[in-house]
Amino acid sequence: MYIAAFHWLPAQYDDQFHQLNAQIDAVARANPGFVGAESWQSGDGARRCATYYWRDLDSLQAFATDPAHLQAKRQYARWYAGYQIVISEVVRSYGDGRMPHLAADTAG
């Protein structure tokens, strides 16, 4: 499994941002390799993160190169004061079984 964590500093959002954001989310969820997503923001809202989980790297690559996603990437400076993306390969995932999880536990 792979994780793409998109961290950003929000700036000014407009209608086009919201439209593209909804398209990008729909593209992710329609991808057969999409496992799930979650997001958070700092208490003051100054920093945010959207984390997407993928079964394989090909699925993540398909998401990254989707036309709506590429359009948003070209215009990011309109909506973000800064960003960083972290791509990680999951080596191990486990828990006590009482917390909802995104994928079956894995051993690595």
Side-chain angles (χ1 to χ4, degrees):
M1 182 167 57
Y2 288 83
I3 297 172
F6 176 56
H7 300 262
W8 76 94
L9 304 173
Q12 195 67 24
Y13 299 156
D14 58 18
D15 289 341
Q16 186 179 19
F17 169 86
H18 293 294
Q19 180 182 19
L20 279 171
N21 194 48
Q23 285 178 319
I24 290 166
D25 189 63
V27 164
R29 293 176 189 284
N31 184 314
F34 176 77
V35 176
E38 55 191 354
S39 61
W40 60 264
Q41 67 179 19
S42 61
D44 62 2
R47 182 178 172 139
R48 299 182 184 182
C49 179
T51 304
Y52 288 83
Y53 297 84
W54 303 94
R55 290 194 202 296
D56 53 66
L57 202 50
D58 289 338
S59 298
L60 170 56
Q61 184 64 28
F63 171 70
T65 58
D66 177 80
H69 200 176
L70 292 174
Q71 181 181 359
K73 286 178 184 181
R74 286 190 298 272
Q75 300 180 67
Y76 82 90
R78 291 175 52 190
W79 307 305
Y80 304 126
Y83 78 92
Q84 181 174 1
I85 299 169
V86 178
I87 307 295
S88 306
E89 183 175 8
V90 176
V91 174
R92 185 173 293 122
S93 174
Y94 56 90
D96 66 4
R98 295 183 294 170
M99 183 173 173
H101 56 279
L102 296 167
D105 291 348
T106 60

